[in-house]
Amino acid sequence: MSATIKVDVRQLPHAEGLPLPAYQTADAAGLDLLAAVPEEAPLVLVSGKYAMVPTGLTIALPPGYEAQVRPRSGLAAKHGVTVLNSPGTIDADYRGEINVLLINHGEAPFSIRRGERIAQMVIAPVVQAQLVPVTALPSTERGSGGFGSTGR
């Protein structure tokens, strides 16, 4: 069973009437984020273009946590629409609105309607590294082999 943490969430006026993000199944890792665009003005994302989509939410994560904004597989598979900066990172000290940068890699325009599930948000613990300057690194079997060096 996974751990649970409390995250304060505030809906901004343009998200009024929308449900809060929710897990769609008991074992889901991500909460679905909804588009807080005006009902009368869906955002049309033409092929090859990207746009910042508001969610109307601000959150206060506990120290030591982050929120990752990830694509929804259904939007990508069915329409070619995905999160451009995936995963987007929301730091624990950020208090601004969560926006989702979507891009349309599909061939047809995609209409984003109010309340549509546009991305998922995964809350995760953060480990910060302390970088230690050295003159040499320990050797490994792989060494400096990069892109494609371990297989196809």
Side-chain angles (χ1 to χ4, degrees):
M1 177 163 212
S2 59
T4 302
I5 63 163
K6 292 185 189 270
V7 176
D8 293 338
V9 60
R10 180 174 155 249
Q11 281 186 305
L12 300 174
H14 58 282
E16 187 176 316
L18 292 175
L20 289 177
Y23 296 102
Q24 297 301 305
T25 66
D27 290 325
L31 298 140
D32 283 338
L33 294 173
L34 309 179
V37 297
E39 187 82 47
E40 67 282 355
L43 193 156
V44 177
L45 199 55
V46 298
S47 180
K49 298 298 180 184
Y50 59 90
M52 195 76 72
V53 183
T55 67
L57 299 174
T58 60
I59 60 174
L61 292 165
Y65 286 87
E66 67 161 329
Q68 298 174 6
V69 178
R70 300 179 183 178
R72 289 195 61 241
S73 59
L75 285 183
K78 296 175 186 173
H79 306 284
V81 174
T82 190
V83 177
L84 184 57
N85 64 321
S86 179
T89 299
I90 301 166
D91 294 309
D93 58 353
Y94 177 67
R95 294 297 183 268
E97 180 176 6
I98 297 170
N99 289 284
V100 179
L101 187 57
L102 290 181
I103 186 166
N104 184 354
H105 288 300
E107 296 176 6
F110 182 75
S111 182
I112 301 165
R113 299 175 305 275
R114 181 173 183 79
E116 183 157 10
R117 295 181 295 155
I118 55 169
Q120 54 185 330
M121 179 172 67
V122 174
I123 309 298
V126 172
V127 175
Q128 289 187 334
Q130 178 183 359
L131 300 181
V132 179
V134 297
T135 57
L137 298 175
S139 63
T140 65
E141 186 177 321
R142 180 177 181 174
S144 62
F147 293 92
S149 66
T150 61
R152 189 174 157 143

